[in-house]
Amino acid sequence: MSDEDVRAFYQANKDRTNQTFEQLAPQIKQYLASQHNDDAVHGFYQELRAKHGIISLLEPYRVSVPTAGPARGKATASVAIVEFADFQCPYCKQEESALRAALSKYPDDVRLVYRHLPLTQIHPNAMTAAEAAVCADRQGKFWDMHDAMFADQSALGAEALKDTAKRLGLDVDQLSKCVSDSATAQAIQADTKAADDIGIESTPYLFINGRPISGTASEEKLEALIADELRLDTSHVARAR
């Protein structure tokens, strides 16, 4: 990645951090390089498959990831998407549209599970936002808070989140007590440990029935993987009969 790419990313996101470009440049460069490499490899294989009519007979590579956490979609869905994300991450916000489209297109077949991975080294409000989400979940309002925070990533400070909680109808006093509760930090740590055990270092990071995607996935890519999983599920059922 060029210095111009790294600096452009920093300029686009500098309002979300109090660290200098020099402090963050190595981490930004690593993050952008990872995104670029994943996209390049995926594109290369897709091109080869299309050009030569390749059909893979191998079982897709999968990672065992518990589907523990707040979820959207039916519990009986054939496809589980586990997302590790950071509420202050601009790429996580970008991924929201593709995830919403998938849930809308496959309302009976797809379930989305959210897991926390606040990147506190580059996003100073990420932990505060994660705590607010955990505590909103305890009042049955996780997805309301989730949607509100991604809608306005400039309002992730403690006081701004209290205003958001009040607007969403949460008990703000109860929310504040929950944020201070050690169990809240433990819930987030459980997710970050799961991410560490797998080797995840960036967000968003998705698992489609365990099939990993590092970085943002387009609506088309996500739907292609879901369709493939549904095809595999149908094939397994047919063979079982």
Side-chain angles (χ1 to χ4, degrees):
M1 305 306 297
S2 69
D3 290 340
E4 290 76 14
D5 292 329
V6 177
R7 189 170 290 278
F9 180 90
Y10 177 79
Q11 289 297 328
N13 296 278
K14 65 180 181 179
D15 292 340
R16 299 187 175 97
T17 181
N18 55 10
Q19 294 182 273
T20 66
F21 171 76
E22 289 72 20
Q23 289 174 313
L24 292 177
Q27 297 166 33
I28 294 173
K29 189 169 187 177
Q30 181 182 22
Y31 178 79
L32 292 178
S34 175
Q35 295 268 35
H36 175 78
N37 289 341
D38 287 341
D39 289 343
V41 170
H42 178 75
F44 174 70
Y45 284 124
Q46 289 294 91
E47 183 179 342
L48 284 179
R49 291 189 182 101
K51 182 177 179 180
H52 299 289
I54 295 172
I55 299 174
S56 176
L57 300 179
L58 297 174
E59 178 69 18
Y61 173 69
R62 301 180 192 276
V63 178
S64 178
V65 184
T67 55
R72 272 176 165 160
K74 294 184 177 180
T76 56
S78 301
V79 179
I81 301 176
V82 179
E83 176 193 22
F84 283 87
D86 170 333
F87 286 109
Q88 202 173 356
C89 165
Y91 292 108
C92 297
K93 178 176 181 176
Q94 180 182 331
E95 188 63 24
E96 279 297 294
S97 61
L99 290 169
R100 285 178 178 273
L103 287 166
S104 176
K105 185 171 182 177
Y106 301 99
D108 298 323
D109 299 313
V110 172
R111 181 175 176 83
L112 172 65
V113 178
Y114 187 96
R115 302 198 68 175
H116 298 280
L117 184 55
L119 305 177
T120 54
Q121 290 183 327
I122 57 174
H123 297 147
N125 290 324
M127 183 59 75
T128 302
E131 291 169 345
V134 170
C135 293
D137 188 31
R138 293 183 182 173
Q139 294 189 44
K141 295 274 190 176
F142 174 84
W143 292 106
D144 301 80
M145 181 64 81
H146 168 282
D147 294 348
M149 290 194 291
F150 275 131
D152 186 3
Q153 290 182 312
S154 67
L156 299 181
E159 292 305 314
L161 287 174
K162 287 180 181 179
D163 291 339
T164 300
K166 185 176 181 180
R167 175 169 56 84
L168 295 175
L170 279 80
D171 184 322
V172 177
D173 291 336
Q174 184 178 335
L175 186 83
S176 297
K177 292 177 182 177
C178 174
V179 167
S180 302
D181 189 341
S182 61
T184 300
Q186 290 169 6
I188 298 168
Q189 288 166 6
D191 281 356
T192 58
K193 183 181 184 303
D196 288 343
D197 290 344
I198 297 168
I200 300 173
E201 296 180 348
S202 61
T203 57
Y205 209 110
L206 307 176
F207 293 91
I208 316 301
N209 279 355
R211 297 167 69 171
I213 303 177
S214 174
T216 54
S218 67
E219 185 176 327
E220 294 74 19
K221 179 179 178 180
L222 200 56
E223 290 189 3
L225 278 171
I226 291 168
D228 191 47
E229 283 301 298
L230 293 174
R231 178 185 62 80
L232 289 172
D233 183 61
T234 302
S235 298
H236 291 159
V237 171
R239 286 199 296 271
R241 289 176 180 173

